[in-house]
Amino acid sequence: MKSVLSGCDSTDGKQTHGSDMTGVTTRSKSRTSEKKDVYSKSNGVISNGFHGYKEGYETLEKSGVSRRSVYLFNHFFFPLVMVGLTPQIVMLFWYTNVKFGGSYSALITHFRSHSVFGTLLKMWSELSIINTFTVGVIFGYFAWALFWMVVLPGKEVRGPVTPKGNTPVYKDNGFLHYCVTMAGFAILTTVLKYNGLTPTVVYDRFGELLAFMNVFALCFVFLLYIKGITRPSTSDSGKTGGGFFFDYYWGTELYPRICGIDVKVFTNCRFGMTVWPLMCCIYALKSYELHGFVDSMFVTTILQLTYITKFFTWEAGYMHTIDIILDRAGFYICWGCLCWLPSLYPSVSLYLVSHPVRLGTPLASSILIVGLISVLINYLADLQRQDVRKANGDCLVWGRKPDLIRAKYRIEGGEVRESILLASGWWGLSRHFHYIPEILLSFFWTVTTGFENVLPYTYLIVLVILLTHRSFRDEQKCSLKYGIYWQEYCTKVKHRIIPFLF
């Protein structure tokens, strides 16, 4: 769910898109199987499908692990554990910050004396989940976000063709929506302050809001599960064959739309990625109310807002990432963006409210500068690849003609398409080079907290794990999709993330 552009995510070449599907997506005219997604290989051209466990099963079987054991783990045990535990982890993360001074060791000590179950029971019992405040704030924001999502203008952009031959269509108004929302928040803050009120009540009652979102998101994901089976928006939908728990976790539909609203654009971008900067501003304001100006809060807020602003200027590119083109709208993505993201991503700012750190001008300025440089490099890397694809390779990269691989692949209907894989410039250093400045940026806005507790570094740790795991998922997808072309690309660009190391 992080805003990254995966190594092989790409815009399709100059191919026709076929017939319109009620103005939402387009579909190739070739007939495709509706029963299940498959991978197929022919003459080095790969059809991009949904699973791809076969080779993994065969490898594990050779090592003594039965296929049934792997299947049960992937399709039952793992989804069940994730759905059961992650909502509790999100709540405990907030609880640790506000009740135990942001100290994991204090939380563990409390577990020993009161038990994990006792701690969870006490935490939930202290919260009023459904009340006028939680319902008003959450659904009030939903109404705001949906209204501007529909009303604001934007050019039409298309995502990559799906395995079933569908092409999603979007209105590119994310940056405008972000600007209107941040301006609206500034106006709301001014009005509230003038009347002796403050939006930082969201900080004071964030536990209630988070608990309500947990309950709402779990129910919403179940409705999406039902929709993907009974009333799907496209043919990229249906049960996966992995059972209820896996389908609930992974989703039953790739591009669900409700009343013309793209669900993943709303949950990922209009909620998750937009609530993140709003929470940063609320936490910064709360810090100012309590402590006055604190340079560490200023630095981390500026770096996070700069990164998020960059994301929205590039939102159309996000529609070509693994979050959108591979991950279905299930618990993993939708609950993650509705609950996990608003809790974890702005957590450094949340921590600094109760743990102000005075860095001093020299150190604060240094961290701010290197952080902004990281944002710039991340932006230039993404822009470089986009420019090459827009020019169809007829351009210069660092003053030279780009080293390209024109990778062909076949969708399920049999139509052959082409993508450009860039193997020079930033993308000649490693296949996922843009992960490096992203991780560095996260470190710079986190190091402002000092080293008293591990908790504020949780996001950074999770990000490293997430991006490393994502790189393996992405490379498996690209290998299956591009076949020999991907092998050629890996030969030219030998390192996955860190040049000369990994």
Side-chain angles (χ1 to χ4, degrees), residues 368-385:
L368 181 61
I369 291 171
V370 292
L372 291 175
I373 291 173
S374 298
V375 178
L376 179 62
I377 293 174
N378 182 265
Y379 171 77
L380 291 176
D382 286 334
L383 181 64
Q384 185 178 79
R385 183 164 54 186

Side-chain angles (χ1 to χ4, degrees), residues 149-445:
M149 184 176 178
V150 172
V151 170
L152 291 174
K155 68 178 182 179
E156 180 183 287
V157 296
R158 295 172 181 267
V161 65
T162 71
K164 296 289 188 180
N166 301 311
T167 304
V169 181
Y170 306 98
K171 185 197 291 186
D172 186 17
N173 62 2
F175 180 70
L176 191 55
H177 188 282
Y178 168 68
C179 291
V180 168
T181 300
M182 298 307 290
F185 174 76
I187 295 171
L188 175 64
T189 300
T190 302
V191 172
L192 289 175
K193 285 289 188 178
Y194 182 78
N195 290 279
L197 302 172
T198 175
T200 58
V201 65
V202 170
Y203 168 85
D204 300 329
R205 302 181 66 175
F206 185 64
E208 295 175 46
L209 293 169
L210 189 58
F212 179 83
M213 279 307 302
N214 253 315
V215 175
F216 171 83
L218 290 171
C219 296
F220 180 64
V221 170
F222 180 73
L223 293 177
L224 290 178
Y225 165 82
I226 298 297
K227 179 190 177 301
I229 296 172
T230 60
R231 297 184 64 86
S233 301
T234 74
S235 56
D236 292 283
S237 58
K239 294 183 178 180
T240 64
F244 169 76
F245 290 110
F246 182 80
D247 285 345
Y248 179 84
Y249 171 79
W250 187 247
T252 55
E253 197 169 1
L254 185 60
Y255 291 115
R257 302 206 177 203
I258 300 175
C259 299
I261 302 296
D262 188 292
V263 171
K264 284 163 74 175
V265 172
F266 178 77
T267 58
N268 296 27
C269 303
R270 302 297 175 266
F271 189 87
M273 289 300 296
T274 308
V275 168
W276 180 3
L278 289 174
M279 296 307 301
C280 286
C281 291
I282 288 171
Y283 296 151
L285 181 59
K286 184 67 176 183
S287 174
Y288 186 80
E289 292 173 353
L290 294 174
H291 315 294
F293 177 81
V294 179
D295 53 7
S296 58
M297 179 64 85
F298 175 78
V299 170
T300 192
T301 302
I302 292 298
L303 290 180
Q304 290 180 73
L305 292 183
T306 302
Y307 174 78
I308 296 163
T309 302
K310 188 225 75 166
F311 168 83
F312 281 108
T313 62
W314 166 82
E315 187 186 70
Y318 177 65
M319 302 308 159
H320 294 255
T321 66
I322 202 169
D323 287 353
I324 304 297
I325 68 175
L326 182 65
D327 296 339
R328 289 186 170 194
F331 176 87
Y332 173 71
I333 281 292
C334 294
W335 177 88
C337 289
L338 292 172
C339 296
W340 182 266
L341 194 160
S343 172
L344 184 64
Y345 285 33
S347 59
V348 173
S349 297
L350 174 65
Y351 178 85
L352 283 172
V353 172
S354 54
H355 298 79
V357 177
R358 311 283 179 176
L359 298 171
T361 302
L363 181 57
S365 300
S366 300
I367 295 173
L368 181 61
I369 291 171
V370 292
L372 291 175
I373 291 173
S374 298
V375 178
L376 179 62
I377 293 174
N378 182 265
Y379 171 77
L380 291 176
D382 286 334
L383 181 64
Q384 185 178 79
R385 183 164 54 186
Q386 289 179 24
D387 287 345
V388 169
R389 286 172 177 160
K390 286 180 181 178
N392 197 29
D394 188 16
C395 59
L396 297 178
V397 172
W398 291 357
R400 300 178 180 179
K401 292 199 68 173
D403 187 0
L404 305 175
I405 296 174
R406 297 188 180 275
K408 293 180 173 59
Y409 64 98
R410 178 179 290 118
I411 63 175
E412 285 188 19
E415 183 180 356
V416 176
R417 293 176 178 260
E418 180 182 278
S419 293
I420 290 177
L421 303 178
L422 178 60
S424 56
W426 298 109
W427 304 98
L429 300 176
S430 66
R431 299 191 294 276
H432 304 270
F433 172 81
H434 57 320
Y435 290 176
I436 298 175
E438 187 154 347
I439 291 171
L440 287 175
L441 171 62
S442 302
F443 170 76
F444 292 132
W445 79 49

Side-chain angles (χ1 to χ4, degrees), residues 482-494:
Y482 297 123
I484 58 174
Y485 299 103
W486 185 253
Q487 295 174 19
E488 180 185 354
Y489 178 63
C490 292
T491 301
K492 288 188 174 185
V493 185
K494 299 183 182 299

Side-chain angles (χ1 to χ4, degrees), residues 448-482:
T448 57
T449 62
F451 300 97
E452 180 182 356
N453 288 307
V454 176
L455 183 140
Y457 289 86
T458 303
Y459 169 75
L460 177 62
I461 295 168
V462 170
L463 179 65
V464 171
I465 296 171
L466 172 69
L467 293 184
T468 302
H469 177 255
R470 183 190 295 265
S471 73
F472 283 95
R473 289 180 61 211
D474 191 39
E475 300 230 344
Q476 180 190 42
K477 177 177 74 75
C478 293
S479 178
L480 290 165
K481 180 176 182 179
Y482 297 123

